[in-house]
Amino acid sequence: MAQVLQVVINGILLGGIYALLGVGMTMMFGIVKLTNLAHGEFVIIGSYASTLIAQAIGVDPILTLVVTVPLMFLIGMGLQSGLINRVMMIGSEPALLVTFGLSIILADALLLLFSADAQRANVPYNISSIKISAGLSISVLDLIVFCIALVTIIILSLFLKKTYLGRSIRATSDDTEAASLMGVNVKRTYAIAMGIAMATAAIAGLCVAMKWVYYPSSGGSYLLTSFGVVVIGGMGSIPGTLVAGLILGLAQVIGGANYGQLIAYVLMVVFLAVRPQGLFSK
Amino acid sequence: METKSLASAHKPIKVLDGLVMWIVCAVVVVALYALGVTGALPNNTMRYLFKIFLYITMGSMWNLMSGFTGMTSLGQQVFVGIAGYSVAVMTTTYKMSFWMGILVGAVIAIIFALILSFVLFRMSGMYFAVATWLVSEAVSTWFTSWKYVNQGGGMTVRTTQIPRIGSLYLMALTLCVLAVVVIFLLLRTKTGLGLTAMRDDADAASSVGVNLFKSKLLCYIICCLFIALAGGLFFLNKGSVLPSSAFGIDWTVSMVFIVIIGGIGTVSGPILGAIVYVLLDEFLSHYPGWSNIILGAIAILVIIFLPDGIMGTLQKKLHFEIFSQKRFSEHKKDKKIEDAANAA
């Protein structure tokens, strides 16, 4: 019994980080209608930024978010208004291929800059855990990562629901033309959405760096995970992201080290085929 | 060379498909065969041409899917990998000839494509693109932990079975000529017309009687088969196969690059694109680590400034097409219709 409970707890904790990975992707999908194939590389850039800054100043990696989040937000806005808005005018297929191009450029640029060595953001609470009962414990690191993910997602959904800017973003997502007639600057909204997606990628990158070792080439697998979250949860749905993250997290933990990844991929393909609009689509 | 016109085009488009053009193509192909058979080419040149032929095959097939049918796949590398492993398993584990390996690879690719089609064809656009990638990653993950194929350690092709570059050259040339001819003929048929109609508007095509599933399936199977054959030849030459090289996203990177540079949706584009790609790749090998960065940057710049690629832009600017797959209404017929309209 304790063993089953332990698997469920681990799965849920893992699901938090998956949901966080997917939330930026789902925003781009739902609002900008863009499949951002460079999302995985953005996450890894966030990981490197947090690791390097934390090492350089010698602070807890979590504190680096103060720098990385605004920085990534600005980079995202610049990227969207400078490049991607322009390509999206040509068509959705060219836009998809441009993000694909960006992803291979970034992956190899990271490789040139940081070599293929494994990296990790070290934290003092790396191996400590809270013991609940015999055979049942929660890793402190997992819990912290889960809380970061949850807080980020809650803040993001409150921002989209309650603020004026959030409403204009949702309006653009529902009906681009009507929103632009009501005075929403669509291109600026897209830039902000990309900025937010990049900011969540920075936070996800921090979580990845604390939890796992990562390489310049790790972006691809995180992209596929975040895509899976989007597909299972439904495009543009933030609560859906959370549920999908938990489903994938549980699948991964149940499959174990050997088959977890395979089960997760198969689950994604099955969901894509059976219910491509996702669990929580409008 | 006669001038044909498209009803909507302002300027008549010259279609270069007269006798002269046929002779030019035939001479080029025969010359390439002759050079291979007589052994007049140095081995290094043959290696370059071998690579170019394989990339023309793969690029043309990716173009058939993405440029003519609207199925942008990011996972065709799965068929390269399956074929590569088939060659290695059949020659090393079962001590059979490499022909058996290539045959088995082709058969497995077709069966796998058939199975996948039921899942993949329910999606379109970006869903299809990423789902194909997911499938490829899933297979790659599986091969990395599958004992039968030596897990992540990879396999080698039995060395006595690796043919000399002269024979590989001829096989690749044959495959490449076949691929281009098959694509051209397919696009000239009614099914081919249905494919391009489907790309432009799936609902409209379906409503005028195009069987979407059947047409897509035919195109997909042809594509997967040829990519598997090319992959089999590639790994036969290379001699060893690893999960990361067999199922690497790099295959898709090169196919996308070739088609974008050459011109998406043109038959001649990928041929030019493959030549540019292999030469560029060779040049970039002097700058290790930079190759994908430069290829990616060139691809993005081409998408922004030359969205039709080199051949596509030339064709639009100079109003010509080489062996066009389109059906042009004859100029004379147009005039007849006009006369009839005037008379009425």
Side-chain angles (χ1 to χ4, degrees):
Chain A
M1 188 59 213
Q3 229 169 356
V4 176
L5 209 59
Q6 182 71 57
V7 166
V8 172
I9 289 174
N10 286 351
I12 290 173
L13 293 179
L14 186 61
I17 192 168
Y18 283 175
L20 184 57
L21 281 166
V23 89
M25 189 92 172
T26 211
M27 284 207 55
M28 294 308 285
F29 248 129
I31 295 158
V32 191
K33 314 279 185 286
L34 174 80
T35 317
N36 180 10
L37 296 180
H39 192 70
E41 272 69 33
F42 292 165
V43 170
I44 297 300
I45 289 176
S47 304
Y48 272 104
S50 285
T51 314
L52 294 178
I53 295 172
Q55 271 171 7
I57 337 178
V59 289
D60 191 288
I62 297 175
L63 294 176
T64 61
L65 288 181
V66 182
V67 187
T68 59
V69 168
L71 194 67
M72 292 278 273
F73 179 80
L74 290 178
I75 294 175
M77 273 190 81
L79 187 68
Q80 182 72 27
S81 40
L83 176 69
I84 297 174
N85 272 340
R86 202 176 160 168
V87 192
M88 282 176 61
M89 303 239 277
I90 306 174
S92 64
E93 205 110 295
L96 179 81
L97 295 177
V98 162
T99 61
F100 184 58
L102 271 181
S103 110
I104 59 168
I105 290 176
L106 291 175
D108 273 32
L110 287 173
L111 189 63
L112 271 184
L113 280 173
F114 303 112
S115 80
D117 297 341
Q119 296 270 354
R120 186 164 189 177
N122 284 315
V123 280
Y125 36 84
N126 216 341
I127 39 167
S128 43
S129 60
I130 308 164
K131 209 164 166 125
I132 298 175
S133 67
L136 193 64
S137 62
I138 298 177
S139 140
V140 174
L141 179 63
D142 284 3
L143 198 63
I144 290 176
V145 165
F146 183 77
C147 291
I148 294 176
L150 204 63
V151 168
T152 310
I153 292 170
I154 289 171
I155 291 177
L156 188 58
S157 56
L158 283 180
F159 162 77
L160 287 176
K161 266 208 183 104
K162 303 281 180 195
T163 63
Y164 182 80
L165 188 59
R167 278 192 214 111
S168 78
I169 290 177
R170 278 190 299 139
T172 315
S173 145
D174 288 343
D175 189 334
T176 318
E177 240 169 84
S180 84
L181 285 173
M182 293 296 122
V184 174
N185 183 341
V186 172
K187 286 201 167 163
R188 205 179 123 250
T189 310
Y190 283 178
I192 291 171
M194 179 59 129
I196 294 172
M198 280 286 253
T200 64
I203 303 171
L206 166 81
C207 295
V208 165
M210 290 201 298
K211 199 159 155 52
W212 296 297
V213 285
Y214 61 91
Y215 309 87
S217 55
S218 302
S221 63
Y222 291 119
L223 167 73
L224 290 174
T225 306
S226 46
F227 188 77
V229 169
V230 173
V231 163
I232 295 176
M235 285 195 295
S237 159
I238 289 177
T241 314
L242 209 50
V243 174
L246 298 185
I247 292 177
L248 276 183
L250 280 172
Q252 182 111 33
V253 172
I254 291 168
N258 279 332
Y259 297 101
Q261 198 64 30
L262 188 61
I263 289 180
Y265 286 147
V266 171
L267 200 65
M268 288 178 210
V269 175
V270 168
F271 257 95
L272 263 173
V274 179
R275 201 178 155 78
Q277 72 273 35
L279 289 174
F280 283 72
S281 59
K282 288 167 203 160
Chain B
M1 265 161 258
E2 51 189 322
T3 311
K4 296 175 182 174
S5 79
L6 200 63
S8 60
H10 297 296
K11 233 180 162 183
I13 293 174
K14 243 188 194 153
V15 179
L16 308 178
D17 61 356
L19 190 62
V20 183
M21 217 40 208
W22 281 107
I23 293 173
V24 169
C25 288
V27 166
V28 170
V29 171
V30 170
L32 284 173
Y33 268 111
L35 285 172
V37 172
T38 55
L41 285 175
N43 279 356
N44 254 341
T45 319
M46 278 212 270
R47 270 180 218 288
Y48 283 131
L49 286 170
F50 171 75
K51 255 171 111 180
I52 289 177
F53 296 149
L54 293 186
Y55 278 116
I56 290 177
T57 310
M58 291 195 257
S60 297
M61 285 300 158
W62 194 82
N63 186 32
L64 175 65
M65 278 185 70
S66 180
F68 288 112
T69 318
M71 300 193 285
T72 300
S73 163
L74 297 175
Q76 289 309 93
Q77 65 270 24
V78 73
F79 298 100
V80 177
I82 286 175
Y85 267 104
S86 299
V87 170
V89 168
M90 292 320 277
T91 57
T92 307
T93 315
Y94 296 108
K95 310 278 179 231
M96 288 199 220
S97 87
F98 71 87
W99 288 111
M100 202 58 201
I102 287 178
L103 182 73
V104 167
V107 170
I108 295 178
I110 290 177
I111 295 171
F112 193 51
L114 269 172
I115 297 170
L116 282 182
S117 66
F118 289 101
V119 181
L120 292 177
F121 289 2
R122 302 172 60 107
M123 310 158 214
S124 60
M126 53 194 179
Y127 287 98
F128 181 83
V130 182
T132 51
W133 192 358
L134 276 173
V135 168
S136 167
E137 283 300 310
V139 174
S140 173
T141 317
W142 179 36
F143 270 62
T144 313
S145 53
W146 195 18
K147 284 220 175 75
Y148 180 67
V149 294
N150 193 20
Q151 295 170 320
M155 297 188 71
T156 52
V157 180
R158 190 153 57 105
T159 34
T160 48
Q161 274 301 321
I162 300 179
R164 274 192 298 180
I165 185 66
S167 347
L168 281 169
Y169 169 94
L170 291 176
M171 288 186 246
L173 175 59
T174 312
L175 183 67
C176 156
V177 171
L178 261 178
V180 175
V181 170
V182 163
I183 288 175
F184 181 67
L185 290 180
L186 174 71
L187 291 172
R188 292 290 292 202
T189 61
K190 209 173 161 189
T191 316
L193 188 64
L195 290 176
T196 42
M198 195 164 72
R199 171 198 64 188
D200 296 335
D201 190 333
D203 292 333
S206 172
S207 69
V208 294
V210 177
N211 186 333
L212 296 188
F213 188 85
K214 257 193 193 165
S215 321
K216 272 188 186 176
L217 186 63
L218 179 69
C219 166
Y220 189 59
I221 299 266
I222 291 178
C223 222
C224 299
L225 170 65
F226 272 92
I227 288 183
L229 290 173
L233 285 183
F234 181 89
F235 283 105
L236 187 58
N237 177 45
K238 201 174 174 222
S240 64
V241 53
L242 282 169
S244 56
S245 67
F247 299 102
I249 190 71
D250 283 9
W251 290 107
T252 294
V253 173
S254 44
M255 287 183 234
V256 171
F257 181 84
I258 286 166
V259 174
I260 297 234
I261 293 290
I264 194 159
T266 63
V267 176
S268 48
I271 300 177
L272 182 69
I275 297 171
V276 172
Y277 173 77
V278 171
L279 294 179
L280 201 60
D281 193 45
E282 187 53 36
F283 172 71
L284 290 176
S285 64
H286 299 298
Y287 306 93
W290 283 90
S291 112
N292 270 356
I293 298 179
I294 293 170
L295 290 180
I298 293 177
I300 289 178
L301 290 175
V302 168
I303 291 174
I304 295 174
F305 296 108
L306 280 183
D308 297 311
I310 299 174
M311 284 317 282
T313 310
L314 281 180
Q315 289 184 352
K316 264 194 187 161
K317 286 263 149 71
L318 303 176
H319 302 283
F320 78 95
E321 294 206 5
I322 302 170
F323 291 115
S324 179
Q325 77 290 350
K326 292 177 194 147
R327 296 114 193 269
F328 294 93
S329 52
E330 301 285 334
H331 213 51
K332 278 178 206 158
K333 273 189 210 155
D334 279 353
K335 222 173 171 196
K336 260 185 207 162
I337 297 167
E338 258 171 45
D339 289 345
N342 286 340

